[in-house]
Amino acid sequence: MNLLGITVVLVLLAGVWAQVSVLRPECDSPEAEEAALVAQDYLNAQHAHGYKYALNRIEDIKVFTKPDGDNTYVLEVDLLETDCHVLDPTPIANCTVRPKALTAVEGDCDVVLKKVGGALTVTAFKCKTEESTEDLCLGCPTLLPLNDTTALDFVHASLATFNNMTVDVTYTVLEVGRMSSQVVSGGPIYVAEYVVVEANCTDDGCVPLNDAMAVRGICSARGLTADHSVDCRMFSTLMPVVDANSTAAAAPVVPPVVHVQTSSLSHKHGLRHHKLTAHHDPHLSGLLSAESAESAEVVPVAPAVVDAAAAAADPAAAADPAAAADPAAAADPAAAADPAPAAAADPAPAADSVSASFASASAEVPVAVVKRDVAAVLAPEVVDTPAIQTDPIALVPVCPGRVRFF
């Protein structure tokens, strides 16, 4: 490509970056916290089985800004499973995160949000869900597959015990949430959690009431098929509890679709826990990779932007990258061959020395600092960035953020 073509391309790139710039707020900033909580609530709303997840840590955040104020947020968040089922209306803030000793389940999600008119909405996400095998102890409960036949027999036996204690109402299993085995002094026992729903029972069996107002609840059972304890807590309503401080758009009030146990086997063949929804339009956003579960694939930024801006201002620098790095060398090849005489002939103006030192230091300064400076250079009237800091920059990482649980 000739020099003119390169110049045109670089000028176009500079124009694009003047319209869209990338900011890196701190992971523990109010802006990041607001976006992460909206992402948390949205992911829980898409999670049709199992338990709600609570935000544990903000790993990374990028904000793509536009002149019209419609910004795009790209977040990487870590979530932890709680003891609140997705049908439970209890606010997530009041739910208890499962400790690692009880086999905590962790979600790692990349989420894209748009902020339009001050309201944040999720446009794409991808998640992977894994068990935590840390801090497991001898004698702690061990998760069983959700289709374990013997454990499911224990579930139905404990439900029969509960139904014998109720009056004028019978419940059937809506979903098995967790099943574990544990070795105690008397031998192995089962520990199970499952959701029940009010049912219409006849001689041919029980059919769950197909009614949004049907009573639902979650039961915890412990013991053996022939000898166990069971306790059930009914949900008073299916209406979701909305955080008054949330900027997320309100979703229609529709009970989550949960499959009913119709036989002795769970529909979750071989899985030991309920996974978060894996992804939603990650490829359409252009900011997430549908194949990778790692946030390293989320649009990188930076040194290329600096080069593009500099090259747009100096076409000769675009043709010769070495000249861009050292303007004095480009003007005097002899000086490039022998830097010492060049320095002696020209005592290096302060501006040039500052520029050269910044260029060499930018490789060590976190990308957050570089991106903010680039955004300010390309579109100072658009990007609301802090004033240029003349004091030495403290190399303090802005991400990841604090750990809330473990």
Side-chain angles (χ1 to χ4, degrees):
M1 183 180 292
N2 58 29
L3 181 60
L4 178 60
I6 294 175
T7 303
V8 170
V9 170
L10 292 175
V11 169
L12 290 175
L13 285 174
V16 170
W17 279 99
Q19 297 298 316
V20 179
S21 49
V22 183
L23 302 180
R24 295 292 298 272
E26 294 184 6
C27 276
D28 287 333
S29 65
E31 182 180 19
E33 184 87 6
E34 178 190 19
L37 292 178
V38 170
Q40 166 199 271
D41 294 343
Y42 184 88
L43 292 171
N44 280 326
Q46 307 307 306
H47 189 39
H49 300 281
Y51 301 88
K52 296 179 182 179
Y53 282 72
L55 177 67
N56 185 43
R57 191 181 201 184
I58 303 172
E59 291 287 346
D60 196 19
I61 178 172
K62 300 178 181 70
V63 182
F64 295 79
T65 66
K66 294 173 61 179
D68 60 7
D70 294 348
N71 298 338
T72 298
Y73 292 70
V74 179
L75 285 173
E76 181 184 350
V77 293
D78 289 341
L79 308 169
L80 291 175
E81 185 188 71
T82 70
D83 60 0
C84 291
H85 194 270
V86 293
L87 291 178
D88 190 339
T90 302
I92 189 67
N94 297 338
C95 297
T96 302
V97 169
R98 295 185 188 275
K100 287 188 175 182
L102 296 181
T103 314
V105 180
E106 304 174 355
D108 180 12
C109 298
D110 294 333
V111 188
V112 177
L113 307 94
K114 285 194 176 297
K115 191 168 191 177
V116 180
L120 282 163
T121 55
V122 174
T123 60
F125 67 84
K126 60 185 178 69
C127 296
K128 64 177 180 180
T129 315
E130 297 178 331
E131 295 176 23
S132 171
T133 57
E134 301 177 24
D135 298 337
L136 295 182
C137 63
L138 185 64
C140 289
T142 302
L143 281 183
L144 296 174
L146 294 174
N147 64 351
D148 185 286
T149 306
T150 307
L152 286 172
D153 289 342
F154 166 73
V155 166
H156 289 289
S158 65
L159 177 59
T161 299
F162 178 70
N163 278 328
N164 289 335
M165 296 186 293
T166 61
V167 178
D168 298 331
V169 62
T170 303
Y171 298 94
T172 189
V173 176
L174 187 63
E175 175 182 278
V176 174
R178 276 184 161 229
M179 296 190 299
S180 305
S181 63
Q182 184 178 15
V183 178
V184 296
S185 58
I189 62 171
Y190 291 104
V191 180
E193 297 176 16
Y194 53 94
V195 177
V196 296
V197 61
E198 189 178 356
N200 181 20
C201 296
T202 64
D203 294 338
D204 296 329
C206 295
V207 178
L209 293 182
N210 187 20
D211 184 353
M213 298 308 296
V215 178
R216 291 166 167 81
I218 187 164
C219 299
S220 300
R222 181 183 179 89
L224 300 171
T225 301
D227 182 17
H228 51 259
S229 61
V230 58
D231 178 66
C232 297
R233 179 176 62 87
M234 298 298 117
F235 303 143
S236 59
T237 176
L238 289 177
M239 296 289 287
V241 177
V242 180
D243 185 353
N245 297 321
S246 174
T247 58
V253 181
V254 178
V257 178
V258 181
H259 294 282
V260 176
Q261 296 290 139
T262 56
S263 64
S264 61
L265 292 179
S266 169
H267 63 286
K268 296 287 184 180
H269 301 294
L271 296 180
R272 292 155 55 93
H273 59 83
H274 295 280
K275 295 178 177 289
L276 283 165
T277 305
H279 60 82
H280 169 70
D281 288 346
H283 57 290
L284 294 181
S285 71
L287 297 174
L288 299 179
S289 167
E291 294 77 22
S292 171
E294 301 299 332
S295 63
E297 304 248 351
V298 179
V299 222
V301 206
V305 178
V306 178
D307 294 341
D314 186 0
D320 186 357
D326 189 353
D332 186 359
D338 187 0
D346 182 2
D352 291 344
S353 63
V354 172
S355 175
S357 63
F358 179 80
S360 62
S362 63
E364 301 176 2
V365 177
V367 179
V369 177
V370 176
K371 288 176 183 174
R372 289 184 178 180
D373 290 346
V374 171
V377 171
L378 291 179
E381 73 286 354
V382 173
V383 183
D384 183 15
T385 55
I388 296 176
Q389 182 177 352
T390 56
D391 298 331
I393 299 174
L395 301 182
V396 179
V398 296
C399 287
R402 64 186 176 90
V403 176
R404 290 160 173 77
F405 300 102
F406 53 79

